[in-house]
């Protein structure tokens, strides 16, 4: 009877912890989402992103993009529904809401494929400090460019010296994390694939966080433009800028590297357990890693980004007093979140 009571107490305690954890997640989601009930569901956003992030969008030239922009802006043009749908897809996949055309390698459709060699190199060099730092250098150059091109404020007016400063700061943080983690590993005698993955993730996530914070600092300190339902400018809000930044930090900087590093590793471990002879071949192992990385990134990036809508609907009461004064009569405003 005593052991039964102890076991029952443990079950009740675990249930309470589970309920408390679920409540915390629900509250955090509510605070972060700032999204009206009428907005699209996660499944709808994921399908939209998978269609938009078509690799063919990387190779669409400026002439066709401008043609699509003109077609989208001209609501009276007599074209087939398929033609208009194609134009809307091209505009959403290749241009920033501020109006400029995003270079091909920095478009969201190219992100997964540009990251394949970076993730592969990071995984292969997970046990090497010098290798991690080398691939972090390449990774942060790409991340800095991607952050500015796809941020909520866009890349117009960005100075080159700011780009260099952001890259140096991110690399410095990555260097500190890698060296510190290597020291902790040696002190605790913690070795193995899991330890290498943890070090790789901490390196990527910390450097990416610093890079994102610096390259999109204007959103945090200066704010972003919020508009009404018709797209008319209302005000510039720091609270809205912080909301866009936090969502990018959660989805691309913290969650995506975790998915990109852990999922291919888990699949490789599974294949190694089921087909040990296959992994012994270096060529087969390399091809399998590339396949798992490509598949994970192709679906993982849209899956992470789709957690929040591209356009956030923010209640006026959650913004600054001056924004509330300028938005009299409005209950909510809209802001482009960025990728």
């Amino acid at each position: 009877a005593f052991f039964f009571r102890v076991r029952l107490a443990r079950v009740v305690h675990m249930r309470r912890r589970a309920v408390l954890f679920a409540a915390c997640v629900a509250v955090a989601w509510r605070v972060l989402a700032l999204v009206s009930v009428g907005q699209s569901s996660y499944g709808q956003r994921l399908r939209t992103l998978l269609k938009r992030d078509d690799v063919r969008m990387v190779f669409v030239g400026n002439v066709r993009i401008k043609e699509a922009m003109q077609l989208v802006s001209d609501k009276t043009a007599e074209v087939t529904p398929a033609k208009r749908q194609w134009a809307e897809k091209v505009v959403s996949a290749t241009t920033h809401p501020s109006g400029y055309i995003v270079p091909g390698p920095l478009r969201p459709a190219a992100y997964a494929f540009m990251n394949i060699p970076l993730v592969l190199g990071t995984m292969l060099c997970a046990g090497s400090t010098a290798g991690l730092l080398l691939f972090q250098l390449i990774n942060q150059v790409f991340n800095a460019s991607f952050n500015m091109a796809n941020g909520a404020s866009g890349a117009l007016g960005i100075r080159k010296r700011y780009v260099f400063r952001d890259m140096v700061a991110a690399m410095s943080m990555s260097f500190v994390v890698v060296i510190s983690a290597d020291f902790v590993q040696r002190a605790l005698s913690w070795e193995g694939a899991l330890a290498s993955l943890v070090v790789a993730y901490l390196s990527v996530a910390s450097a990416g966080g610093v890079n994102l914070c610096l390259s999109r600092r204007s959103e945090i300190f200066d704010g972003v433009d919020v508009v009404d339902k018709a797209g008319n400018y209302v005000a510039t809000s720091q609270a809205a800028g912080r909301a866009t930044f936090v969502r990018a930090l959660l989805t691309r900087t913290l969650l995506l590297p975790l998915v990109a590093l852990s999922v291919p590793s888990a699949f490789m471990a599974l294949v190694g357990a089921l087909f040990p002879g296959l992994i012994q071949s270096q060529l087969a192992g390399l091809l399998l890693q590339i396949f798992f990385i490509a598949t994970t990134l192709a679906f993982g990036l849209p899956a992470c980004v789709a957690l929040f809508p591209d356009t956030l609907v923010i209640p006026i009461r959650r913004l600054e007093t001056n924004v509330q004064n300028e938005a009299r009569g409005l209950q909510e405003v809209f802001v482009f979140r960025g990728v």
Side-chain angles (χ1 to χ4, degrees):
F2 173 75
F3 290 107
F4 175 77
R5 287 197 298 270
V6 171
R7 190 170 183 180
L8 180 62
R10 288 180 178 176
V11 171
V12 172
H13 181 63
M14 290 179 63
R15 285 184 177 179
R16 287 178 180 174
R17 293 179 64 181
V19 171
L20 179 61
F21 176 75
C24 292
V25 170
V27 171
W29 180 263
R30 184 64 180 170
V31 171
L32 284 171
L34 296 177
V35 176
S36 300
V37 178
Q39 283 212 289
S40 60
S41 65
Y42 174 79
Q44 291 173 323
R45 295 194 297 270
L46 179 58
R47 287 193 295 271
T48 300
L49 288 173
L50 288 174
K51 290 180 181 178
R52 186 196 69 181
D53 293 347
D54 184 345
V55 67
R56 293 175 297 178
M57 294 296 104
V58 179
F59 305 102
V60 179
N62 289 356
V63 175
R64 296 187 68 188
I65 294 174
K66 292 178 180 177
E67 177 187 339
M69 293 173 66
Q70 184 176 2
L71 184 58
V72 170
S73 61
D74 186 4
K75 302 295 183 182
T76 61
E78 296 183 0
V79 294
T80 62
K83 183 75 171 178
R84 185 169 294 279
Q85 187 177 12
W86 169 85
E88 292 173 350
K89 177 180 178 179
V90 169
V91 171
S92 65
T94 62
T95 64
H96 190 274
S98 60
Y100 70 87
I101 297 174
V102 179
L106 301 180
R107 294 170 189 169
Y111 188 85
F113 303 96
M114 293 291 291
N115 270 276
I116 289 175
L118 298 177
V119 175
L120 180 63
T122 301
M123 291 176 64
L124 294 177
C125 297
S128 168
T129 301
L132 276 178
L133 291 176
L134 172 62
F135 278 96
Q136 275 303 296
L137 173 62
I138 303 172
N139 184 34
Q140 295 313 317
V141 171
F142 175 71
N143 273 343
S145 304
F146 188 89
N147 288 336
M148 288 182 295
N150 296 279
S153 301
L156 297 177
I158 298 292
R159 297 182 180 180
K160 293 181 179 179
R161 62 188 180 95
Y162 290 159
V163 179
F164 181 74
R165 183 192 65 183
D166 298 347
M167 186 190 68
V168 170
M171 275 301 302
S172 301
M173 174 59 71
S174 178
F175 181 81
V176 170
V177 169
V178 172
I179 297 299
S180 302
D182 182 65
F183 175 78
V184 171
Q185 273 187 279
R186 293 177 185 276
L188 300 179
S189 299
W190 186 30
E191 299 178 353
L194 180 60
S196 299
L197 278 178
V198 169
V199 173
Y201 172 74
L202 291 176
S203 171
V204 173
S206 59
V210 172
N211 200 329
L212 183 72
C213 183
L214 291 174
S215 59
R216 296 177 64 167
R217 64 194 172 279
S218 62
E219 298 177 25
I220 305 172
F221 299 107
D222 300 331
V224 295
D225 294 344
V226 296
V227 298
D228 59 17
K229 195 171 185 178
N232 300 314
Y233 171 81
V234 175
T236 300
S237 169
Q238 289 181 327
R242 289 192 291 269
T244 62
F245 169 77
V246 168
R247 281 153 185 77
L249 181 68
L250 289 175
T251 54
R252 272 197 39 242
T253 305
L254 299 180
L255 184 56
L256 182 60
L258 181 63
V259 173
L261 291 173
S262 61
V263 173
S265 298
F267 277 125
M268 288 296 294
L270 180 62
V271 172
L274 296 176
F275 309 100
L278 187 61
I279 300 298
Q280 292 178 358
S281 171
Q282 291 186 349
L283 179 59
L286 181 62
L287 292 177
L288 278 174
Q289 279 191 319
I290 294 175
F291 172 75
F292 288 141
I293 291 171
T295 305
T296 302
L297 288 174
F299 290 95
L301 176 64
C304 293
V305 174
L307 288 174
F308 303 105
D310 282 345
T311 301
L312 297 180
V313 182
I314 305 181
I316 285 294
R317 66 180 182 276
R318 297 192 180 182
L319 300 181
E320 303 92 327
T321 304
N322 65 308
V323 177
Q324 297 181 27
N325 294 334
E326 294 184 34
R328 292 176 181 176
L330 296 177
Q331 297 299 319
E332 55 190 21
V333 291
F334 301 79
V335 59
F336 174 67
R337 175 172 68 88
V339 178

